[in-house]
């Protein structure tokens, strides 16, 4: 019946996919992406990031993001905004040492306010802050943290809430799928932010995982997040393998997808799942993780892999 149909039949809000602007000119690709029986939600993989939206200070460009937002609206799909404040894919003018604390706070406020305001009313949820932590649970050293300490996080969330009071505001990260130091740090941070009146509505679990190495305590971790009173979502799921593909690896990948989806299915606070694109043709994995790939539920020729059935079985 389609992944979104299956997810909704189990009480979830959506099953969705990331996409990117260049891919949309691939007509067979766009036809599948637009099918809201498969995908009830879309995330722009790049075109709402800082380097795409404010390449020069105070000069905003929304052309790429608007194409994705319009695509989602035309196909009855929810939109996740991604991302306001992140250490990566920053324009070169956002550099440590260029600005004092007051200036950088104002820069974060202007950026977040302008981008979130532009998409006001069109976005279900924003990844307001992305990847604030190192894997050991300490704060990541970024231009933001170096200049402002962790206060930049509250700054961004307050700006986002003021710009679009109806959008769900998420903090998003990777390697917070299972229990561990990074998940504990996220739990503690979100508890503190909410105690301080910072408007954090959700925790985004990216879910960039490895075939045969998916953590066993996903559900317990999701429940720990949910106990904070926030919603959670799996925001960037892919499960990569070491190439070449074999039937055995695809069978393990199916089991791994099923395991992740089942953990979300078991936790009511887990409202939806987004895969980080749906076809291996456009996955980011081979370009970043040398020798790895085939991480998504459809192969490069748009044929469904065993992982697809694993997702259905997981719900
Ligand atoms: C990736 C995109 O998919 C790539 O096209 C780009 O070159 C780099 O960024 N975590 C995130 C995403 O939050 O924004 C990243 O997306 C993948 C890792």
């Amino acid at each position: 019946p389609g992944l979104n149909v299956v997810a909704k039949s189990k009480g979830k809000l959506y099953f969705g996919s990331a996409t990117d602007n260049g891919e949309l000119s691939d007509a067979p690709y766009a036809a599948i992406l637009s099918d809201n029986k498969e995908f009830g939600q879309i995330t722009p993989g790049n075109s709402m990031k800082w380097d795409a939206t404010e390449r020069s200070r105070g000069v905003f460009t929304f052309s790429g993001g608007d194409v994705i937002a319009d695509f989602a609206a035309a196909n009855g799909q929810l939109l996740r905004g991604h991302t306001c404040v992140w250490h990566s894919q920053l324009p070169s003018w956002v550099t440590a040492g260029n600005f004092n604390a007051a200036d950088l706070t104002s820069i974060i406020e202007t950026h977040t306010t302008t981008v979130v305001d532009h998409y006001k009313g069109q976005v279900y949820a924003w990844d307001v802050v992305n990847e604030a932590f190192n894997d050991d649970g300490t704060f990541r050293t970024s231009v933001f943290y170096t200049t402002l300490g962790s206060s930049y996080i509250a700054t961004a969330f307050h700006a986002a809430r003021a710009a679009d009071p109806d959008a769900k505001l998420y903090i998003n990260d990777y390697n917070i799928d299972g229990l561990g130091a990074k998940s504990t740090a996220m739990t503690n941070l979100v508890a503190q932010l909410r105690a301080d009146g910072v408007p954090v509505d959700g925790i985004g679990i990216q879910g960039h995982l490895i075939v045969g190495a998916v953590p066993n305590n996903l559900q317990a971790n999701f429940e720990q997040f949910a106990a904070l009173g926030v919603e959670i979502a799996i925001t960037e799921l892919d499960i990569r393998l070491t190439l070449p593909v074999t039937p055995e690896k695809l069978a393990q990948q199916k089991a791994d997808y099923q395991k992740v989806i089942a953990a979300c299915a078991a936790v009511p606070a887990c409202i939806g799942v987004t895969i980080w694109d749906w076809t291996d043709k456009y996955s980011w994995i081979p370009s970043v993780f040398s020798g790895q790939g085939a991480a998504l539920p459809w192969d490069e020729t748009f044929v469904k892999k065993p992982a697809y059935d694993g997702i259905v079985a997981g719900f």
Side-chain angles (χ1 to χ4, degrees), residues 20 45-46 49 82-83 86 89 130-131 172 174 206 208 236 276 284 288:
D20 212 346
N46 286 296
K49 290 172 177 174
H82 177 82
T83 175
W86 185 32
Q89 292 181 269
N130 196 30
E131 301 180 352
N172 193 53
Y174 63 93
Q206 289 187 6
H208 294 296
E236 306 185 14
W276 204 242
W284 72 303
V288 174

Side-chain angles (χ1 to χ4, degrees), residues 69-276:
D70 291 348
F71 184 96
N75 298 305
Q77 294 162 323
L78 298 172
L79 181 66
R80 295 193 83 261
H82 177 82
T83 175
C84 301
V85 179
W86 185 32
H87 69 277
S88 188
Q89 292 181 269
L90 286 170
S92 56
W93 66 271
V94 184
T95 303
N98 278 8
F99 305 105
N100 66 27
D103 284 344
L104 190 59
T105 297
S106 162
I107 285 165
I108 291 167
E109 286 173 339
T110 298
H111 180 76
T112 303
T113 299
T114 306
V115 175
V116 174
D117 177 70
H118 179 82
Y119 292 106
K120 183 178 155 77
Q122 300 179 69
V123 167
Y124 168 69
W126 267 104
D127 293 326
V128 177
V129 170
N130 196 30
E131 301 180 352
F133 290 110
N134 296 312
D135 281 350
D136 67 1
T138 58
F139 283 109
R140 181 191 290 274
T141 303
S142 64
V143 49
F144 308 112
Y145 187 75
T146 300
T147 311
L148 297 166
S150 62
S151 73
Y152 80 88
I153 298 171
T155 297
F157 275 93
H158 284 300
R161 177 66 98 227
D164 185 351
D166 296 325
K168 301 279 188 185
L169 305 183
Y170 276 63
I171 184 164
N172 193 53
D173 218 321
Y174 63 93
N175 288 349
I176 57 164
D177 318 282
L179 296 168
K182 198 172 188 180
S183 290
T184 300
M186 179 65 89
T187 302
N188 292 341
L189 174 65
V190 171
Q192 186 62 52
L193 290 169
R194 286 168 63 87
D196 293 344
V198 179
V200 181
D201 303 309
I203 297 175
I205 299 152
Q206 289 187 6
H208 294 296
L209 297 167
I210 300 170
V211 166
V214 173
N216 287 318
N217 45 32
L218 299 171
Q219 187 179 333
N221 185 55
F222 295 2
E223 285 167 349
Q224 179 173 287
F225 289 154
L228 296 164
V230 294
E231 62 178 49
I232 62 178
I234 300 173
T235 55
E236 306 185 14
L237 181 61
D238 52 24
I239 312 183
R240 62 188 183 265
L241 52 79
T242 300
L243 298 168
V245 168
T246 65
E248 292 73 22
K249 291 176 194 172
L250 293 181
Q252 181 63 49
Q253 185 179 53
K254 173 185 178 180
D256 289 338
Y257 266 98
Q258 180 171 344
K259 182 169 160 179
V260 175
I261 298 300
C264 180
V267 179
C270 186
I271 56 95
V273 178
T274 307
I275 48 178
W276 204 242

